[in-house]
Amino acid sequence: MFDRLKAWAKRIKRDGVTLWFASRHPAVPWLAKALAVFVVAYALSPIDLIPDFVPVLGYLDDVVLLPALIWAAIRLIPAPVLGECREQADHWMSQQGRKPTSRVGALLIVAIWIGASLALWQWLIKPWLGS
């Protein structure tokens, strides 16, 4: 069972890189591209939306949310294009030995955290200050 889980995790990692290539492919429909860009920005970001040190929730995005988003994006890509992008991803990972990173994704996560902090400030703290 551990080997099956390890193989599944490897496929998810590869499909994240596959979406990176698919987001640049001209034959990918715009909806699939938009979802792929979002998923790639989040998946390849060095910063998690929910930090891993948060009990249970920290790994929830890595185990449930991210695979579901990758699955949804993959389903929207035509099969021949998907095969081509998977080959590119396999080649990239064998040459580089790692997945690429996304600075845009990191900035997106930071922006979400800042926005959530400002919203929390407006909702909880500001009324107490009387402003």
Side-chain angles (χ1 to χ4, degrees):
M1 180 165 161
F2 182 71
D3 289 335
R4 286 181 40 197
L5 188 59
K6 193 174 176 182
W8 175 78
K10 188 174 181 178
R11 282 193 311 270
I12 291 293
K13 185 177 178 180
R14 191 244 358 239
D15 281 345
V17 178
T18 298
L19 290 177
W20 185 54
F21 286 106
S23 68
R24 294 166 170 79
H25 199 287
V28 173
W30 72 268
L31 181 60
K33 259 187 199 187
L35 184 57
V37 166
F38 174 76
V39 171
V40 166
Y42 181 67
L44 301 181
S45 169
I47 302 171
D48 280 346
L49 182 61
I50 304 169
D52 290 342
F53 62 82
V54 176
V56 180
L57 293 177
Y59 289 104
L60 189 62
D61 63 338
D62 295 333
V63 174
V64 176
L65 180 63
L66 194 55
L69 288 171
I70 289 172
W71 177 83
I74 292 282
R75 303 281 296 177
L76 295 172
I77 300 171
V81 175
L82 182 60
E84 182 182 326
C85 292
R86 279 187 170 149
E87 286 177 16
Q88 289 176 318
D90 287 336
H91 179 71
W92 168 275
M93 291 179 73
S94 69
Q95 294 294 317
Q96 301 295 322
R98 61 176 175 77
K99 64 182 183 178
T101 59
S102 172
R103 290 189 178 120
V104 172
L107 290 174
L108 176 68
I109 300 302
V110 169
I112 289 171
W113 274 107
I114 289 171
S117 299
L118 290 174
L120 187 64
W121 170 267
Q122 290 289 330
W123 184 58
L124 290 177
I125 307 300
K126 198 170 180 183
W128 286 75
L129 297 176
S131 302

